[in-house]
């Protein structure tokens, strides 16, 4: 019996015919309409993305090589003349110093958002109420925020009234000098965008497994040690994203200073200057070149930051 088994298993021996009913079937080919169905769902968003994002960017790049005034149907090709003018006129880049105020404000904003997200991630009374209070300013329209704080900082306005109630008499014009105006506007941006970073950090903290906190409490770890060894490493990718958004946002500030001051008293940003070039001085070609330069600067800053602080997979378990 053993010899028969070895003979059947010997290489070169013809295999026994397969039993009827167990023949392998070729995989059924998926019909063409079913294979096209996912692409049909993507057709509408891709069309919107191309129409309202990539096509305008392509037109902007094309306009940056012309002297178009935004009205005339004729376009005169000027080559790199607009870029040469941007790089040779130092006053066009001096407005980037204003971004320093917003860059400092973004650091304060990230620190406050991280603090509140850490505190409210634990069991605190009325934490849902405080979550809503912190996130609510981000839901308000930027134009409305600009007008509200315009009355807040005006002479004899809300801020002066509150300070007077506290016994502090001041006749300081909050939007009257470049330093105080930029500081006030940067403070408004902190108040408005604090909720966005807060929600990002809170979601990242709550995604950390709860067993880690329980184990840390059993080992006698304090809140600070839990933050240092559990929360900070766990939210590193989200923290890196927030820094990228803050840096790019500080370079492209527009809404609040344009509404509150219109770029006066030394509060003009690069985007406000670009808008004025296009719609006030009818230099759409030069404004398009400025927009391309700003886009390249933001991409370069993001690339450098990603190279310095690369994303690393975090494994806390």
């Amino acid at each position: 019996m053993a010899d028969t088994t070895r003979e059947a298993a010997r290489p070169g021996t013809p295999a026994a015919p397969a039993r009827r009913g167990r023949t392998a079937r070729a995989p059924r080919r998926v019909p063409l309409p079913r294979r096209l169905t996912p692409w049909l769902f993507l057709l509408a968003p891709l069309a919107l993305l191309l129409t309202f994002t990539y096509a305008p960017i392509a037109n902007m790049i094309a306009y940056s090589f012309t002297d178009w005034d935004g009205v005339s149907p004729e376009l005169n090709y000027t080559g790199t003349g607009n870029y040469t003018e941007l790089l040779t006129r130092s006053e066009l880049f001096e407005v980037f110093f204003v971004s320093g105020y917003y860059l400092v404000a973004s650091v304060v904003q990230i620190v406050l958002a991280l603090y509140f997200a850490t505190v409210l991630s634990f069991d605190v009374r009325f934490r849902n109420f405080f979550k809503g209070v912190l996130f609510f300013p981000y839901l308000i329209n930027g134009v409305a925020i600009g007008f509200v704080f315009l009355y807040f900082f005006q002479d004899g306005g809300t801020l002066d009234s509150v300070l007077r109630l506290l016994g502090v008499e001041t006749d300081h014009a909050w939007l009257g000098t470049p330093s105080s105006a930029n500081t006030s506007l940067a403070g408004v941006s902190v108040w408005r965008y604090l909720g966005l970073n807060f929600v990002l950090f809170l979601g990242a903290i709550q995604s950390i497994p709860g067993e880690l906190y329980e184990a840390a409490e059993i080992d006698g770890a304090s809140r600070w040690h839990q933050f240092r060894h559990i929360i900070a490493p766990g939210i590193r990718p989200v923290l890196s994203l927030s820094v990228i958004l803050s840096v790019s946002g500080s370079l492209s500030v527009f809404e609040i200073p344009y509404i509150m001051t219109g770029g006066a008293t030394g509060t003009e940003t690069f985007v406000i200057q670009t808008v004025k070039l296009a719609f006030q001085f009818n230099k759409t070609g030069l404004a398009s070149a400025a927009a391309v330069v700003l886009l390249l600067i933001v991409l370069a800053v993001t690339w450098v930051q990603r190279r310095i602080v690369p994303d690393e997979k975090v494994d806390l378990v």
Side-chain angles (χ1 to χ4, degrees):
M1 186 67 181
D3 295 339
T4 307
T5 305
R6 293 193 191 97
E7 187 69 23
R10 186 178 302 169
T13 306
R19 294 183 180 180
R20 185 173 298 175
R22 293 188 179 182
T23 56
R25 296 183 179 180
R28 181 180 297 179
R29 190 171 184 179
V30 180
L32 181 61
R34 181 174 295 181
R35 285 184 292 169
L36 292 177
T37 300
W39 298 101
L40 293 177
F41 281 104
L42 292 174
L43 185 61
L46 287 177
L48 294 173
L49 185 65
L50 291 173
T51 303
F52 296 104
T53 301
Y54 295 111
I57 291 177
N59 288 332
M60 179 184 67
I61 296 174
Y63 292 149
S64 67
F65 295 100
T66 66
D67 61 350
W68 187 43
D69 58 0
V71 179
S72 175
E74 297 181 359
L75 299 177
N76 297 322
Y77 178 76
T78 59
T80 59
N82 291 326
Y83 294 96
T84 303
E85 183 177 357
L86 281 174
L87 297 176
T88 54
R89 292 175 57 182
S90 60
E91 66 271 13
L92 295 179
F93 280 92
E94 290 178 356
V95 293
F96 274 116
F97 290 106
V98 178
S99 300
Y101 289 91
Y102 297 94
L103 190 60
V104 174
S106 65
V107 175
V108 177
Q109 172 184 307
I110 290 176
V111 172
L112 290 177
L114 186 57
Y115 171 77
F116 287 122
T118 303
V119 172
L120 296 179
S121 63
F122 296 102
D123 190 10
V124 181
R125 294 182 62 183
F126 306 109
R127 63 175 180 175
N128 291 329
F129 170 76
F130 290 114
K131 289 178 184 178
V133 169
L134 291 172
F135 185 67
F136 178 72
Y138 183 70
L139 302 177
I140 305 176
N141 182 268
V143 178
I145 291 177
F147 280 111
V148 167
F149 279 93
L150 182 61
Y151 291 105
F152 181 81
F153 287 115
Q154 72 177 359
D155 297 339
T158 306
L159 182 57
D160 288 340
S161 300
V162 172
L163 292 176
R164 195 176 298 113
L165 290 175
L166 297 176
V168 179
E169 295 292 337
T170 177
D171 55 354
H172 181 72
W174 301 103
L175 302 178
T177 60
S179 59
S180 63
N182 285 312
T183 303
S184 301
L185 296 177
V188 175
S189 68
V190 171
W191 179 81
R192 185 188 180 191
Y193 294 104
L194 177 66
L196 176 61
N197 286 325
F198 166 74
V199 169
L200 293 176
F201 292 148
L202 185 64
I205 292 174
Q206 291 181 346
S207 65
I208 299 175
E211 295 81 2
L212 297 178
Y213 297 108
E214 296 177 359
E217 290 179 356
I218 293 175
D219 293 337
S222 62
R223 296 298 189 192
W224 165 248
H225 289 94
Q226 293 181 27
F227 173 81
R228 180 181 177 182
H229 299 287
I230 298 177
I231 296 178
I235 66 172
R236 188 182 304 164
V238 178
L239 183 60
S240 177
L241 173 63
S242 297
V243 173
I244 292 175
L245 294 176
S246 299
V247 173
S248 61
S250 63
L251 294 174
S252 57
V253 177
F254 170 71
E255 202 171 36
I256 292 176
Y258 185 77
I259 295 170
M260 296 183 63
T261 63
T265 63
T267 60
E268 187 176 59
T269 62
F270 192 80
V271 179
I272 294 177
Q273 177 181 261
T274 303
V275 171
K276 288 184 176 180
L277 287 174
F279 299 104
Q280 185 174 344
F281 301 105
N282 295 329
K283 294 183 178 182
T284 305
L286 183 60
S288 299
V292 173
V293 169
L294 178 61
L295 176 62
L296 294 177
I297 291 175
V298 172
L299 292 177
V301 170
T302 304
W303 181 81
V304 170
Q305 181 178 347
R306 295 296 296 271
R307 299 290 292 182
I308 296 176
V309 187
D311 287 341
E312 299 178 358
K313 185 177 179 181
V314 179
D315 190 7
L316 297 175
V317 182

